[in-house]
Amino acid sequence: MALRRAPRLSISIQEHMAIDVCPGPIRPIRTISAYFPRLPPGSAPGPFSPAHCLLSPLGPGRAFGPCASGLGSGRTSLNSSVEQQSSDSDDCTALGTLEFELLYEQGSSQLHCTVLRAKGLKPMDFNGLSDPYVKLHLLPGACKANKLKTRTIRNSLNPVWNERLTYTGITAEDLHRKTLRLTVCDEDKLTHNELIGESRVALKRVKPNQTKRFHTCLEHPPPLPSPSATGEALRGISCYLREWEKEQLQSLEERGRLLLSLQVLSTGLCVGVKRCAHLAAMDVNGFSDPYVKIYLKPDLQKKSKHKTQVIKKTLNPEFNEEFFYDISLSELSCKTLEVTVWDYDLGRSNDFIGGVCLGAQAQGDALRHWSDCLKNRGRRIERWHILTNELPRTLHPD
């Protein structure tokens, strides 16, 4: 008796993988709230007994028992209720919220930021907690010179600081063009600190001499534009971004603030160097040893140089020194006052921190200060000025 073998079924590897990997239709994973649908407003809930409606182990969304048919017929409405609930959940609070107050004192040119508290911060450590602190920057021109920082609260997702941080030398022009960035970070002693989220507030929303409270949701920092990430269809935008990055590299960096007083007398010009604020740290200890030099250019005889004393280990020095130039008003209108701040280093060349030029060729606050000084003879006028990293070509460190 001859045995006849059955024909062998040939299954391709694609079909074999499809059978093993995909035994059935793929359904989205439901959350526990999906089994408690929200009823539309105005409708009365019907009788429902959890004991008579059990979840089936065969798969999510299936039931057995007296209410199995009810759940099966209402699958479409159940899916729509899940989408409504996901939209109801506040995704903005996934990183947490931050509460703070801003006050701008116009008389003293100070901006006070009182960091009150944060709630529901995202856990960043293995213990499910964080060690949060808040740091402030003024944009544009964020650098170490204008960074302020609160203390660190250990092992908390709802920290309370109640700490006031103050910026000095904030002008009315800064209120219209500056933005305050508040960044919440998690401090790690062994590794680098991690960013939790940030919040940005335009200073033009703050009215002078009025305290305003903010309660904002923390957000992820905006991504930096990169021309390499654009495709061929975005070549025009890529060229624009390259020009934008070039302008950013060529833009001046803020190195701090300087308070100057000018007074035109019948016999000459009196220049007062009052104080500096938020200077850039030039030494490894996080401080600087600043002093100020002033020139009245053009100076053919090289006799216009004046220099203040050196203040050790500080970023907010107070000088309160005055210097006098014996010059007529007609000659003064053609002069330029160059003021620079330096970091003193023993045994090597001093480091340039920042400078500002006041004169007829200046711009912005420097030009307005110089013009007001010439128009109001005999009146002492004080103004804050932004120090930039641009070194005048005629100056060299001592």
Side-chain angles (χ1 to χ4, degrees), residues 95-97 117-125 127-132 153-161 184 186 196:
L95 302 177
T97 60
R117 64 182 63 86
K119 293 183 179 179
L121 294 180
K122 179 181 177 181
M124 305 298 292
D125 298 335
N127 58 0
L129 300 174
S130 296
D131 303 324
I153 306 296
R154 300 292 177 184
N155 298 326
S156 176
L157 298 180
N158 301 282
V160 178
W161 289 283
V184 182
D186 171 59
I196 300 178

Side-chain angles (χ1 to χ4, degrees), residues 306-381:
H306 292 286
K307 185 168 64 174
T308 66
Q309 60 178 338
V310 179
I311 307 297
K312 296 288 187 178
K313 293 183 180 180
T314 181
L315 300 180
N316 301 278
E318 294 189 7
F319 301 100
N320 293 320
E321 298 186 30
E322 291 187 350
F323 305 97
F324 183 77
Y325 289 102
D326 188 2
I327 188 174
S328 63
L329 182 60
S330 59
E331 295 177 341
L332 186 61
S333 59
C334 303
K335 296 288 187 177
T336 299
L337 182 66
E338 295 180 348
V339 186
T340 54
V341 183
W342 299 81
D343 170 54
Y344 176 76
D345 291 324
L346 182 62
R348 57 176 181 171
S349 61
N350 300 328
D351 298 324
F352 173 72
I353 298 179
V356 62
C357 294
L358 292 83
Q361 304 298 325
Q363 298 178 354
D365 290 335
L367 177 59
R368 284 189 288 269
H369 192 188
W370 185 258
S371 301
D372 293 343
C373 172
L374 297 180
K375 294 178 182 178
N376 301 275
R377 297 183 57 182
R379 179 183 174 185
R380 187 186 303 273
I381 300 177

Side-chain angles (χ1 to χ4, degrees), residues 93-255:
T93 59
L95 302 177
T97 60
L98 181 64
E99 189 174 352
F100 57 95
E101 294 179 346
L102 292 180
L103 170 63
Y104 175 66
E105 294 182 356
Q106 192 171 14
S108 58
S109 299
Q110 290 183 337
L111 176 65
H112 303 284
C113 178
T114 305
V115 183
L116 299 176
R117 64 182 63 86
K119 293 183 179 179
L121 294 180
K122 179 181 177 181
M124 305 298 292
D125 298 335
F126 292 107
N127 58 0
L129 300 174
S130 296
D131 303 324
Y133 67 92
V134 180
K135 60 180 180 180
L136 310 182
H137 285 99
L138 285 177
L139 305 177
C143 59
K144 293 183 179 180
N146 59 31
K147 183 183 79 171
L148 299 178
K149 179 182 172 183
T150 66
R151 68 183 188 278
T152 302
I153 306 296
R154 300 292 177 184
N155 298 326
S156 176
L157 298 180
N158 301 282
V160 178
W161 289 283
N162 287 328
E163 189 171 346
R164 169 175 280 196
L165 305 175
T166 301
Y167 281 105
T168 305
I170 303 300
T171 62
E173 183 179 354
D174 292 330
L175 289 182
H176 290 86
R177 67 183 185 92
K178 290 286 188 180
T179 298
L180 180 64
R181 180 179 67 188
L182 300 94
T183 307
V184 182
C185 299
D186 171 59
E187 181 179 326
D188 291 325
K189 293 183 177 180
L190 301 180
T191 61
H192 63 279
N193 298 338
E194 297 177 306
L195 186 144
I196 300 178
E198 69 173 31
S199 179
R200 303 191 180 196
V201 177
L203 294 185
K204 60 184 178 181
R205 299 176 57 184
V206 181
K207 296 182 179 180
N209 303 320
Q210 294 184 11
T211 302
K212 186 169 184 177
R213 173 169 292 196
F214 295 87
H215 189 270
T216 60
C217 296
L218 296 178
E219 300 176 350
H220 293 284
L224 296 177
S226 177
S228 59
T230 58
E232 294 183 358
L234 302 177
R235 288 182 179 179
I237 300 179
S238 178
C239 295
Y240 170 78
L241 291 177
R242 277 194 288 266
E243 294 295 330
W244 180 84
E245 288 182 349
K246 186 182 299 183
E247 292 179 0
Q248 293 298 315
L249 293 176
Q250 295 177 354
S251 62
L252 300 180
E253 177 187 352
E254 293 186 9
R255 296 291 187 87

Side-chain angles (χ1 to χ4, degrees), residues 2-15:
L3 297 177
R4 182 181 300 177
R5 293 185 178 182
R8 187 176 181 179
L9 298 178
S10 60
I11 301 177
S12 63
I13 186 64
Q14 291 83 359
E15 294 175 344

